[in-house]
Amino acid sequence: MNNRQRFRAHLADPKMLMVPIAHDPLCARIIERAGFRAVGVGGAASAAALLGRPDARLLSAREMADVVWRTVDAVGVPVFADADDGYGDATHVAWTVRQYESAGAAGLFLADRPARRRRGRTVGGAVGDAEDDTVVPAAELIGRIEAAVAARRDPDLLIMARTDALAAHGIDEALDRAHGCVDAGADAICVAHPASTHQMRRITEEITARRGIPTMADASPGVMPPPTAAELQQMGYALTLYPTLASRALARAVADVMGELSWSGDAAPLADRLAPFEEFHALARPPEPREAAGPPGARR
């Protein structure tokens, strides 16, 4: 069984698949060592790691595919990747899918956010969705999924559709989009930004229970306190992402250590807050022969 088949098997397993998004390949190895069955690649973590900037969609599809490849090369577990809006029209979606597939991704998700050329600024000047352009029309999202399904060479590559329509257009519209994506060939669904556990249960009832399609939970500030992995599993979800948990943990740890070093000028008292050299070098190990062999994307 290769990693794409393993990823699909994990989604079919009644046990919730928890997928932290890695800040970088070293972080991916830490996640794997902690016992997680899959690792994620996401836009926010990648922008922070590579650019030191928020997720303003500055990274290209090729740059993100390179992040996917580096992460796949670092770990032995499946890698699930954020493919954003597909980076353009149907031709760009197809190219993106093939780049991610060649990089070794076990699965990816495509969203109905507007293409970059159509995005504006929110009140206050922050980069984000323009108020009248929150999501693309349903037909455009469905077209992205159709293009992605047609483009993949390996049928085991999992393609998930994510819709952000709920917040702006309501649960009925969001579920209509989800059903349309299932009809278009999506292997899994994420209906983002549910505002209540009632909405979350409706999502899993309509998509998972009735149509047999796994669903991914989206952490939303509208549901407080956020459900635990066990609670999500009980609701019927198969997968949950942790988009910036690792990046935020890293930011706090480095800020604390460097702040103290800047103040004291003495690194010795920090020793108990650092990974021992042996542990660090075990994580940042040279590639094993099986990892070094073959062209990028050859490992699955």
Side-chain angles (χ1 to χ4, degrees):
M1 183 181 291
N2 62 35
N3 268 348
R4 288 177 183 152
Q5 293 164 341
R6 288 189 188 93
F7 189 66
R8 286 176 175 267
H10 291 333
L11 289 179
D13 189 330
K15 182 180 179 181
M16 167 65 62
L17 180 60
M18 302 164 63
V19 183
I21 286 182
H23 185 81
D24 54 26
L26 181 65
C27 180
R29 283 184 170 164
I30 295 170
I31 291 168
E32 179 183 33
R33 178 173 286 194
F36 290 94
R37 295 178 290 164
V39 171
V41 168
S46 297
L50 296 178
L51 306 176
R53 293 181 178 273
D55 185 15
R57 305 172 90 190
L58 298 174
L59 295 173
S60 68
R62 188 66 193 90
E63 288 171 316
M64 285 298 298
D66 188 58
V67 175
V68 172
W69 173 75
R70 292 177 187 278
T71 306
V72 169
D73 190 59
V75 297
V77 295
V79 174
F80 181 55
D82 176 2
D84 205 275
D85 58 22
Y87 299 90
D89 59 18
T91 300
H92 290 87
V93 170
W95 187 87
T96 298
V97 168
R98 290 193 173 179
Q99 290 296 309
Y100 278 43
E101 184 176 23
S102 295
L108 58 88
F109 66 89
L110 291 156
D112 53 6
R113 290 188 289 179
R116 291 151 195 254
R117 68 183 183 279
R118 294 169 55 183
R119 287 172 68 86
R121 292 181 174 271
T122 58
V123 176
V127 175
D129 296 326
E131 291 184 4
D132 59 348
D133 203 14
T134 306
V135 293
V136 299
E140 190 168 337
L141 171 62
I142 291 169
R144 290 175 183 174
I145 299 304
E146 290 173 339
V149 170
R152 66 181 170 190
R153 296 182 176 94
D154 184 351
D156 286 328
L157 175 69
L158 183 131
I159 294 173
M160 175 185 287
R162 168 184 165 132
T163 175
D164 288 81
L166 192 156
H169 302 288
I171 185 71
D172 291 334
E173 168 68 15
L175 286 170
D176 284 346
R177 289 178 180 232
H179 285 297
C181 289
V182 173
D183 293 339
D187 302 301
I189 294 291
C190 174
V191 176
H193 312 306
S196 65
T197 55
H198 173 75
Q199 288 188 345
M200 298 175 82
R201 291 182 183 280
R202 183 177 170 192
I203 291 164
T204 58
E205 286 171 3
E206 289 208 18
I207 304 302
T208 301
R210 296 181 188 174
R211 306 215 53 182
I213 299 295
T215 46
M216 181 174 82
D218 171 69
S220 172
V223 181
M224 295 299 290
T228 65
E231 289 168 339
L232 291 171
Q233 178 180 316
Q234 191 276 330
M235 290 182 200
Y237 284 100
L239 165 68
T240 184
L241 284 182
Y242 298 89
T244 59
L245 195 64
S247 297
R248 291 165 56 203
L250 181 149
R252 171 58 62 86
V254 173
D256 288 349
V257 167
M258 292 302 154
E260 187 166 331
L261 178 63
S262 174
W263 171 78
S264 69
D266 184 2
L270 302 173
D272 63 349
R273 293 158 63 183
L274 307 178
F277 277 110
E278 296 78 9
E279 180 181 338
F280 176 77
H281 287 303
L283 285 167
R285 66 187 187 274
E288 297 173 7
R290 67 178 179 84
E291 295 178 316
R299 267 183 71 224
R300 296 292 185 269

